[in-house]
Every structure is written in C-alpha cells, then in structure tokens.
Amino acid sequence: MKDLVLAEKPSVAKEIARVLGCGQKHKHYFEGPNYVVTWALGHLVTLAEPEEYDSKYKTWSLDDLPLLPERMKLKVIRETTPQFKAIQQTRRTKRSVRADYRHGRRTRGRARGPVDHGADPLEEAVQAALDFLADG
C-alpha cells in the first residue's frame, strides 16, 4: 500500500514528488512506486455561514449572540472542490501521511552540512519529515 503525502501547495508537492521518485504526473497528484503526493491549494474548506446552522441567522440580532453551535460545520470551498474530491478519493485507497513543509524548512537548516558535500537539502528535509511522522 502506498503512502499519501499531502503538501500545502502544488509547487511543494512537485518538489516532494521529485525527491520521493514519483514520476507519474496526474491532474491532481504525482505517483511513484511507494508514494502518492498531492496538495491542498491552501484552504480546501471553510467554516459554514451562520444561516447554514439555522435560517433565523440570516439576519443578525444581538439576542442570538454569541453563536456557539455544538459542533462547527465545515464546507468545501467551491473553487477547490475538484482538488478536495481528488484528495478524498486518493485517501480512501492509501495509508495517510501528512508532510508538513514547515517542518521540512526547519530540518533544511539542520541539513546544511550535507549540502556542502553535494547532498540534496530538500531530499534530506523530506526524509526527516517522513521519519518524524512515522515516529509519531
């Protein structure tokens, strides 16, 4: 079973896919022998509008505030729906791993020594991030 790596944006996914050997490019993801790399396009979902909880919230009234629902509702942002659905579909068939690129940036600084010796700093950062995620 392949691991699913979710990057924050397409450019980051492209670099992670390169490092992980994911040479097959698809519309919404890259695929390799061990990984599928996709991206989130920033925010894929947003909080529901007040009127989506109850029609009485279509107009504001101080008497209704604060609005504190039992559970916050999320909705998919219309413009990101195709990418959201692609991630959902891919997620059903893969073991999930989330690669946080910010972790990679911190790791990249620690990988400075290998850079001086010809190592790929992004490869080091991605591997460190995957090791971190596997441990916890």
Side-chain angles (χ1 to χ4, degrees):
M1 181 177 272
K2 297 179 183 182
D3 287 335
L4 174 63
V5 178
L6 178 60
E8 65 177 320
K9 57 187 177 181
S11 61
V12 174
K14 183 178 180 181
E15 285 299 306
I16 292 173
R18 178 186 62 79
V19 169
L20 295 177
C22 300
Q24 295 178 336
K25 185 178 180 192
H26 301 274
K27 185 174 183 177
H28 297 284
Y29 62 94
F30 297 93
E31 188 169 5
N34 300 312
Y35 297 95
V36 171
V37 180
T38 189
W39 52 89
L41 293 173
H43 296 282
L44 295 172
V45 298
T46 188
L47 292 173
E49 296 296 328
E51 61 269 16
E52 294 176 66
Y53 290 94
D54 190 319
S55 61
K56 74 178 184 177
Y57 297 126
K58 285 184 181 180
T59 57
W60 286 89
S61 168
L62 287 176
D63 296 333
D64 293 331
L65 297 177
L67 173 60
L68 299 171
E70 289 288 320
R71 183 177 172 119
M72 300 298 282
K73 294 180 182 180
L74 297 175
K75 65 178 183 177
V76 178
I77 298 170
R78 186 176 24 137
E79 296 82 6
T80 62
T81 298
Q83 187 64 25
F84 181 86
K85 287 182 178 180
I87 293 169
Q88 258 188 336
Q89 183 180 7
T90 306
R91 170 67 177 93
R92 287 188 190 114
T93 61
K94 309 294 181 249
R95 194 168 49 146
S96 182
V97 174
R98 183 183 180 278
D100 185 348
Y101 191 64
R102 288 169 293 174
H103 175 77
R105 280 195 199 148
R106 287 195 301 270
T107 306
R108 196 183 287 191
R110 284 183 247 141
R112 196 75 218 145
V115 170
D116 297 333
H117 295 90
D120 183 340
L122 184 59
E123 186 171 342
E124 297 283 334
V126 169
Q127 190 56 55
L130 291 173
D131 291 345
F132 173 80
L133 290 167
D135 292 341

